[in-house]
Amino acid sequence: MPEQDADRRFLDAAIEEARTGLAEGGVPIGAALVVDGEVLATGRNRRVQMGSVIRHGETDCMENAGRLRASVYARATMYTTLSPCSMCSGTILLYGIPRVVLGENRTFLGAEDHLRNSGVEVVNLDSEECAALMREFIDTYPDIWNEDIGK
């Protein structure tokens, strides 16, 4: 399967998490950790649902993956519906994940340059579906969104 087709398929797992999070009353950001063509874990932003300050989509996904060896992270790709913020980018760097595929960065531009400058391959699929989810959420719940990004 061509890499771009696989990327879109695995992004769909992250989008499903984002939709679940939205249905739960949370911020619609989802993530999936994929290694060797297998989804090891998924997660979603659960800051609202859990009253958490750190449960973004990527960090929730990492928590759901549990403890993994460094050699597993070194073969991983993090799929996320939105450009990763500084906290999530730091998590990606800390565990040595070499590749990040994001749904979009039109509604929020995270720390992509920091990831790239640290040697991480960053792929933007520029998904209209991901952008529409975020635009609608930001328009409807600006206070929750601003809290989520630390503003």
Side-chain angles (χ1 to χ4, degrees):
M1 175 182 311
E3 189 170 52
Q4 190 168 25
D5 290 344
D7 284 344
R8 290 193 187 283
R9 183 169 60 90
F10 292 128
L11 180 63
D12 285 344
I15 292 170
E16 183 177 324
E17 284 289 323
R19 290 193 178 287
T20 299
L22 181 62
E24 295 171 341
V27 181
I29 301 170
L33 185 67
V34 175
V35 177
D36 300 333
E38 178 184 344
V39 176
L40 294 188
T42 59
R44 60 188 169 275
N45 186 306
R46 294 194 214 202
R47 291 188 68 255
V48 173
Q49 300 92 311
M50 296 178 76
S52 171
V53 298
I54 61 167
R55 282 295 183 112
H56 281 194
E58 299 89 337
T59 56
D60 187 59
C61 180
M62 294 290 285
E63 183 67 18
N64 292 338
R67 294 173 58 193
L68 300 172
R69 296 184 179 278
S71 61
V72 175
Y73 292 121
R75 299 189 321 271
T77 297
M78 176 64 76
Y79 290 84
T80 178
T81 57
L82 186 65
S83 181
C85 72
S86 295
M87 177 177 67
C88 295
S89 293
T91 301
I92 289 162
L93 293 173
L94 176 67
Y95 288 98
I97 296 170
R99 187 167 185 265
V100 175
V101 176
L102 55 112
E104 62 99 6
N105 64 5
R106 289 180 265 162
T107 59
F108 176 79
L109 179 60
E112 293 175 36
D113 284 344
H114 182 57
L115 288 170
R116 283 187 193 96
N117 291 338
S118 299
V120 174
E121 177 187 1
V122 178
V123 177
N124 181 359
L125 296 182
D126 197 27
S127 163
E128 180 53 40
E129 182 177 8
C130 291
L133 269 171
M134 285 310 304
R135 277 193 307 266
E136 183 177 335
F137 182 84
I138 292 167
D139 289 347
T140 305
Y141 303 102
D143 292 343
I144 293 173
W145 172 243
N146 285 329
E147 177 187 324
D148 198 68
I149 60 172
K151 291 193 177 194

